[in-house]
Amino acid sequence: MNKRKKLLILIAKKMLVFFVSIFALSIIAFSMSRIAPGDPLVSYYGDRAERMNTEEREHAIHRLGLDGTLTDQYVAWFKGAIKGDFGESFKYKENVLTVIAGRLVNTLLLGGIGFLLTFFLALLLGILCALHEGDWLDTLLCKVGTITSCIPEFWLSLVLILIFSVTFHLLPSSGAFGLGEADSILSRIRHMILPMVVIVLSHLWYYAYLIRNKLIDEKRKEYVLMSKSMGLTNRQVMWRHCVRNIMPAFISIMAISLNHVLEGTYIVEMVYSYPGIGTLSFESAKYHDYNMLMVLVIIMGVVVILGNIIGQIISENIDHRMKEEAIIEDAEVVASEKI
Amino acid sequence: MTNARDNLVIDIENLSVEIKTETEKINAIRNLSLSLRQGEILAIVGESGSGKTMVCRSIMELLPKSAKVTSGVIKAPKNEMAMVFQNPMTSLDPTMTIGKQLSYAIKSRNKIKDKTEIKNRAIELLKLVQIDRAEERYNQYPWQLSGGMRQRCVLAMALGLEPKVLLADEPTTALDVTVQASILGLISSLREKLGLSILFITHDLGVVAGIADRVAIMKAGSVVECDTTENVYHSPKHEYTKELMNSLPSNAGEFEVKSVENVETVLQVKDLSHYFKLGRKSYIRAANNVSFDIKHGEIFSIVGESGSGKSTLARCILNMYKPNSGEIIYDENVVLASDKVKMSREDKRKVSAEIRVISQDSDTALNPHMTVRQVIEEPLLLHHMFKTKAEMYAYMEELLDDVELPRTLMDQPVTMLSGGQRQRVSIARAFGSKPKLLIADEPLASLDVTMQMQIVKLFAHLIKEHDTSMLFIAHDLSMVRFLSTRVGVMYKGELVEVGTTEEIFNNPKHEYTKKLIAAMPIPDPDIEREKIRLFKERV
């Protein structure tokens, strides 16, 4: 009973943190987009906006809900948002959710799988390097890794298109699926390969190197020697103790950098004309498509904050010292011993 | 002769180990021969860098990649050995429960598969190393246990391997004196119960006096003397052993102690308390209503175990922490620290020249990018003590003479110096501004035995010469006894007893002081063996 109660309180706490963060994020995004210079009417009316007379302009502003103070506008937006109505896209003249719906899945697939792939490959590469610390293999991987991580994403994308699409006709160079093949999983996978390679390659080494160095630090600890003196091999010590112990640090870094990988997809989406939300975000910021921008910012916020919360939960379960209550309990034990 | 050979569990013959660094090759072990007999405790004693840890690692085949065995044979029962390491804080995996780590140890050599059987064995082992509430500890994490308890767990893990030979590499060095005594007693009783043969590595001659059957003294990679404990302690043969014995404070004779009656008070600490906040409602009382005073020309020592609040006290005096209550008065009118009054800028300037600090770790106390000259001249320039550079340099050369460093070292970068030399530079820096009070926070802790004695003698000499006072913070009681005029004993944030060195060591009043004095290792096999025997009787 007590345990259940504790769990409920814990969940409630995390939920509170989540909603407060999203609320704060929406206020910041709302005010910043409106402070930025530019004319949102251009996004909706195009060239016509410049030829409007004062009356027409006022009418248009009213129609788009851009009159009144910033607070009024925010309150109006917030009221709608709670009901699930995020407004109309200025550029596409449709409900923003309808515009985003299909594309969001594409990006989450590309970014999500790319993220997980980066995560696992980085882990494997890091462990491989740490096991062979100082060997020719480690040295080679470090050199190659540094070079690959220096290649700009857009350039790598273009080179890959040149090799695999233009020269050898092996893989498609743009889009998310072939014409009339929207339901074909194979076609979707084929379209995803090149963008995925770019995303993974451009982020992989950064994390692999981080893991390698963390593991090498961990290898120097005395408990590793202790385990070896009990007859464990290097590999066993690595998997059983070292990898486990660097996980909390690694997971929190991955969680924080979730947005880097998602940002990466934006550029890649543009080069590969991949119909994701990357292009949308860029355009919405450029053309002052406020409603679109708000939704996209909030979606990214939700992903990152959720990632952080999940990361924290995993880390706490690996290293119990990270639990807040544990630390306070421990401190109380120490304090009571002192007194 | 063949019989004697059969009795050996470890036999090392002519071992040489070479360590390759980027610039040179170092002979860590040179032609070392050593043997461990069935059922005995052999102690290897040596200063840092003498190669004792390398011996241990060579036996366990755990040498680092850069080290290579160049010659020699080691005969040792590979599958019947276990090792205990120095620091129990780091030799356990922080994210795994004690029980799980113990189970791994048990599984690695035994063929037990059954889970409950393993758990029972683990709890049995925890009880064997005298851990109370073993069932509860089984599910706890290392960070929830105290240092002594962790070292017991490490021992339990080692015993889980069912070893016949135990290699212990400085197993008590990181522990407090009172905990150290109990671990030594435990190791000794385990030897009898399980018939273990133990190789015990240490730098402290006092620690092994009671438990070792034989002692091997190591210097620069080879054993210079190996004999029964009695012979080594009472009639050392080799020059180096004699030097070691002579650098022990208990063998160094009496130091002339200055009388401190009817002299002015330099520092007065009144009802000082400092708390550290931990959680919303929990505090650590690092210093609790501490009061004492330091008279002119005396060496006042504060002893206590780690976490007793010694360093907190020093930091309050140095104005690094603001105390929660109480005050510290310097020179009878300057308030150094108080919860109410703030020090004026003028006072701060005066005090920073007159109260100087010598810190524990000479490695980090000096800026590695500076030369000796830069280190020593910094405070002199800061306080505008000299009008011309020539005058100042002349004075600095005298300072180097004072701390017995050659003048030629003046323009060397501090990274080129040895640990002892660096500590001397820090002492020269402290004495440079002609201080009235020196605060030395464990100034000997990072030094070797022979070096410690030299530094202590230097302190004694300089304090007399420069007519200063000193607050000497230490955990090593023998040095304190040798050096100090009066001693204060701290325990869990409180100053439980203050008295002259005589009173404290010969007639302690507080329970804790008695316990501390009793636990102090004395480099005399007869006294120490009696202590271990008494300890075993009590358990």
Side-chain angles (χ1 to χ4, degrees):
Chain A
M1 189 59 207
N2 203 7
K3 215 172 181 182
R4 201 176 207 182
K5 206 172 161 191
K6 261 189 188 170
L7 192 71
L8 278 176
I9 291 172
L10 195 73
I11 292 172
K13 261 190 194 167
K14 301 255 180 213
M15 295 284 277
L16 190 72
V17 170
F18 178 76
F19 284 116
V20 169
S21 313
I22 296 292
F23 181 64
L25 178 71
S26 74
I27 291 180
I28 293 167
F30 194 87
S31 29
M32 276 179 76
S33 62
R34 264 148 241 249
I35 290 166
D39 188 0
L41 294 185
V42 177
S43 153
Y44 194 95
Y45 295 100
D47 289 346
R48 263 198 302 143
E50 280 162 26
R51 294 195 296 274
M52 282 178 183
N53 60 33
T54 323
E55 253 170 61
E56 280 173 330
R57 236 189 122 74
E58 263 171 21
H59 179 73
I61 286 174
H62 178 73
R63 191 176 121 52
L64 297 182
L66 297 173
D67 48 355
T69 62
L70 213 58
T71 328
D72 292 339
Q73 288 183 39
Y74 181 78
V75 170
W77 176 86
F78 190 76
K79 277 182 182 163
I82 287 178
K83 287 181 211 140
D85 175 19
F86 289 92
E88 190 184 4
S89 161
F90 296 172
K91 188 154 189 293
Y92 294 88
K93 303 181 181 62
E94 260 186 283
N95 188 309
V96 277
L97 290 184
T98 332
V99 181
I100 291 173
R103 294 165 167 243
L104 184 63
V105 180
N106 285 342
T107 292
L108 286 184
L109 269 180
L110 186 66
I113 297 175
F115 182 77
L116 290 179
L117 218 58
T118 312
F119 186 95
F120 283 112
L121 289 179
L123 192 60
L124 290 180
L125 212 58
I127 293 171
L128 190 69
C129 284
L131 274 174
H132 293 269
E133 185 198 345
D135 285 2
W136 63 269
L137 183 68
D138 178 40
T139 322
L140 183 76
L141 282 173
C142 283
K143 296 239 157 81
V144 171
T146 313
I147 293 167
T148 48
S149 64
C150 291
I151 301 173
E153 288 176 4
F154 65 90
W155 186 81
L156 182 66
S157 314
L158 292 175
V159 169
L160 287 179
I161 291 177
L162 198 66
I163 296 172
F164 290 97
S165 310
V166 179
T167 314
F168 295 107
H169 303 288
L170 289 172
L171 292 164
S173 67
S174 66
F177 44 81
L179 264 177
E181 291 180 314
D183 297 328
S184 156
I185 293 172
L186 192 73
S187 168
R188 277 181 184 267
I189 291 175
R190 271 167 51 83
H191 280 82
M192 220 189 268
I193 290 175
L194 285 185
M196 188 79 79
V197 168
V198 176
I199 289 172
V200 171
L201 272 189
S202 53
H203 291 92
L204 180 61
W205 185 247
Y206 175 76
Y207 299 109
Y209 196 59
L210 200 113
I211 291 180
R212 171 190 177 271
N213 290 348
K214 283 248 164 223
L215 280 176
I216 285 173
D217 279 349
E218 203 68 21
K219 261 172 75 178
R220 306 261 185 279
K221 301 236 167 108
E222 218 166 30
Y223 73 83
V224 170
L225 216 56
M226 173 97 192
S227 309
K228 276 198 210 166
S229 81
M230 297 194 305
L232 262 66
T233 62
N234 272 339
R235 236 161 244 247
Q236 280 172 315
V237 175
M238 187 61 83
W239 283 104
R240 199 177 281 175
H241 297 285
C242 297
V243 173
R244 196 185 131 90
N245 285 350
I246 63 147
M247 271 302 146
F250 180 52
I251 288 173
S252 48
I253 287 166
M254 287 300 285
I256 294 166
S257 53
L258 192 59
N259 55 337
H260 284 287
V261 179
L262 290 176
E263 264 166 34
T265 64
Y266 291 0
I267 296 171
V268 173
E269 278 174 11
M270 273 158 75
V271 178
Y272 284 96
S273 324
Y274 189 86
I277 56 173
T279 349
L280 273 187
S281 320
F282 177 74
E283 284 175 352
S284 60
K286 190 177 167 194
Y287 298 118
H288 300 274
D289 195 347
Y290 293 145
N291 290 335
M292 180 71 85
L293 190 65
M294 285 302 291
V295 175
L296 291 172
V297 167
I298 285 174
I299 288 173
M300 282 305 121
V302 169
V303 170
V304 171
I305 293 168
L306 268 186
N308 271 306
I309 290 178
I310 294 171
Q312 199 186 351
I313 291 173
I314 299 175
S315 299
E316 277 175 2
N317 276 305
I318 294 175
D319 192 342
H320 289 247
R321 280 175 297 182
M322 293 173 84
K323 283 190 183 168
E324 194 192 1
E325 342 150 34
I327 290 166
I328 288 173
E329 264 170 40
D330 194 42
E332 270 160 11
V333 170
V334 174
S336 64
E337 261 177 28
K338 294 275 162 198
I339 301 157
Chain B
M1 212 45 211
T2 42
N3 256 343
R5 284 257 166 246
D6 286 344
N7 254 338
L8 302 181
V9 278
I10 293 180
D11 192 9
I12 305 172
E13 239 175 289
N14 235 354
L15 179 76
S16 295
V17 174
E18 199 179 75
I19 298 179
K20 250 191 217 165
T21 64
E22 272 166 32
T23 46
E24 54 186 340
K25 284 179 183 173
I26 302 163
N27 293 314
I29 300 175
R30 299 169 205 199
N31 296 329
L32 175 134
S33 299
L34 198 71
S35 53
L36 178 68
R37 294 176 193 150
Q38 172 66 46
E40 77 166 347
I41 297 184
L42 171 68
I44 300 184
V45 182
E47 301 193 332
S48 59
S50 62
K52 23 187 221 311
T53 301
M54 279 297 150
V55 174
C56 199
R57 294 231 194 151
S58 316
I59 298 171
M60 288 302 286
E61 298 183 352
L62 283 177
L63 284 174
K65 264 188 189 169
S66 54
K68 219 174 75 188
V69 176
T70 47
S71 78
V73 196
I74 303 174
K75 279 184 210 149
K78 264 173 218 126
N79 293 320
E80 289 169 345
M81 294 193 295
M83 191 164 169
V84 176
F85 294 85
Q86 174 171 352
N87 196 345
M89 302 293 166
T90 54
S91 54
L92 293 168
D93 187 336
T95 65
M96 235 180 233
T97 60
I98 298 295
K100 200 165 179 197
Q101 296 190 49
L102 257 172
S103 322
Y104 276 137
I106 294 166
K107 273 191 276 185
S108 70
R109 291 252 175 96
N110 296 322
K111 293 279 173 274
I112 310 175
K113 284 271 152 63
D114 184 40
K115 270 192 183 166
T116 49
E117 203 176 326
I118 290 174
K119 189 177 175 181
N120 289 341
R121 174 74 184 134
I123 287 171
E124 193 184 312
L125 281 170
L126 286 178
K127 282 179 180 157
L128 185 68
V129 294
Q130 295 157 12
I131 284 183
D132 57 334
R133 294 183 289 160
E135 285 86 356
E136 204 176 305
R137 305 285 181 216
Y138 182 87
N139 289 320
Q140 275 182 327
Y141 288 88
W143 46 270
Q144 293 170 316
L145 307 179
S146 67
M149 205 99 87
R150 283 184 221 193
Q151 196 61 299
R152 282 164 199 270
C153 290
V154 174
L155 262 173
M157 279 170 77
L159 295 177
L161 302 169
E162 314 284 340
K164 291 208 172 116
V165 182
L166 191 68
L167 307 180
D169 188 359
E170 305 252 11
T172 59
T173 308
L175 303 173
D176 283 325
V177 198
T178 47
V179 181
Q180 166 171 287
S182 67
I183 295 279
L184 287 176
L186 174 66
I187 289 178
S188 174
S189 68
L190 284 175
R191 188 252 308 244
E192 278 158 34
K193 263 187 220 163
L194 307 170
L196 290 171
S197 315
I198 298 172
L199 192 67
F200 194 106
I201 292 174
T202 183
H203 68 278
D204 189 341
L205 278 163
V207 167
V208 287
I211 60 166
D213 300 304
R214 287 193 306 144
V215 176
I217 307 282
M218 266 190 89
K219 192 200 178 190
S222 43
V223 171
V224 295
E225 187 165 355
C226 181
D227 210 335
T228 59
T229 311
E230 282 83 3
N231 284 348
V232 170
Y233 281 80
H234 294 319
S235 49
K237 286 183 196 71
H238 194 274
E239 274 309 308
Y240 178 69
T241 319
K242 284 180 195 163
E243 195 191 325
L244 267 186
M245 292 294 164
N246 284 335
S247 37
L248 293 169
S250 48
N251 295 345
E254 285 295 305
F255 168 68
E256 190 196 339
V257 174
K258 214 172 162 185
S259 160
V260 287
E261 277 161 38
N262 302 326
V263 285
E264 54 188 304
T265 306
V266 179
L267 187 86
Q268 223 180 335
V269 176
K270 283 186 198 163
D271 288 325
L272 185 83
S273 295
H274 185 81
Y275 301 161
F276 288 109
K277 200 173 180 186
L278 292 171
R280 253 159 290 173
K281 284 176 194 164
S282 54
Y283 292 90
I284 281 188
R285 299 184 190 189
N288 201 9
N289 284 332
V290 175
S291 304
F292 65 92
D293 51 5
I294 299 177
K295 301 261 194 294
H296 183 76
E298 81 167 333
I299 298 176
F300 185 89
S301 294
I302 288 189
V303 294
E305 301 185 332
S306 58
S308 59
K310 309 186 294 276
S311 292
T312 307
L313 198 62
R315 284 179 189 166
C316 283
I317 295 170
L318 290 166
N319 213 351
M320 287 156 86
Y321 292 157
K322 191 176 178 297
N324 292 58
S325 69
E327 53 183 5
I328 301 170
I329 298 166
Y330 168 68
D331 218 5
E332 293 182 347
N333 53 30
V334 185
V335 178
L336 280 187
S338 153
D339 46 337
K340 295 173 205 93
V341 194
K342 255 199 166 177
M343 221 193 323
S344 71
R345 186 172 276 207
E346 217 170 288
D347 280 345
K348 264 188 190 164
R349 179 175 286 274
K350 177 175 175 245
V351 162
S352 70
E354 292 182 358
I355 301 182
R356 301 305 308 270
V357 62
I358 297 168
S359 65
Q360 170 173 358
D361 193 350
S362 59
D363 280 356
T364 51
L366 306 177
N367 186 339
H369 298 294
M370 283 185 169
T371 63
V372 173
R373 187 188 297 279
Q374 288 169 326
V375 168
I376 299 180
E377 78 179 349
E378 204 176 19
L380 304 181
L381 291 173
L382 213 60
H383 296 294
H384 308 293
M385 289 181 62
F386 293 93
K387 286 200 183 81
T388 62
K389 279 219 158 174
E391 264 179 74
M392 184 171 75
Y393 287 154
Y395 175 71
M396 282 163 61
E397 284 183 345
E398 278 171 38
L399 272 176
L400 280 196
D401 293 345
D402 271 352
V403 296
E404 292 157 20
L405 279 177
R407 290 183 178 189
T408 45
L409 286 181
M410 192 64 102
D411 289 304
Q412 293 277 339
V414 291
T415 41
M416 301 290 281
L417 308 180
S418 72
Q421 284 176 324
R422 272 200 287 258
Q423 198 59 293
R424 282 169 197 268
V425 172
S426 347
I427 294 169
R429 175 173 65 179
F431 274 98
S433 60
K434 300 188 173 144
K436 283 193 178 166
L437 176 65
L438 269 180
I439 294 171
D441 189 355
E442 302 259 14
L444 309 171
S446 57
L447 300 173
D448 282 324
V449 193
T450 46
M451 196 55 71
Q452 282 186 1
M453 200 60 215
Q454 289 172 19
I455 297 281
V456 161
K457 281 186 173 156
L458 182 68
F459 272 140
H461 171 74
L462 286 174
I463 297 262
K464 213 194 257 175
E465 198 92 318
H466 290 249
D467 200 25
T468 53
S469 325
M470 178 152 121
L471 176 67
F472 183 75
I473 294 172
H475 67 278
D476 183 351
L477 291 168
S478 48
M479 285 295 173
V480 167
R481 182 177 201 168
F482 176 72
L483 185 68
S484 33
T485 330
R486 286 189 304 147
V487 180
V489 181
M490 276 200 90
Y491 178 56
K492 294 185 178 176
E494 283 178 38
L495 197 64
V496 294
E497 193 169 352
V498 181
T500 62
T501 313
E502 278 286 291
E503 283 166 5
I504 295 281
F505 282 89
N506 296 336
N507 188 19
K509 290 190 184 68
H510 193 272
E511 268 315 302
Y512 176 72
T513 315
K514 285 180 194 166
K515 218 171 116 187
L516 198 67
I517 304 286
M520 178 172 108
I522 295 165
D524 185 322
D526 304 330
I527 301 173
E528 280 296 302
R529 276 181 191 165
E530 181 60 19
K531 271 202 240 170
I532 298 271
R533 198 182 58 75
L534 285 174
F535 180 84
K536 274 191 262 182
E537 268 175 18
R538 251 186 293 137
V539 174

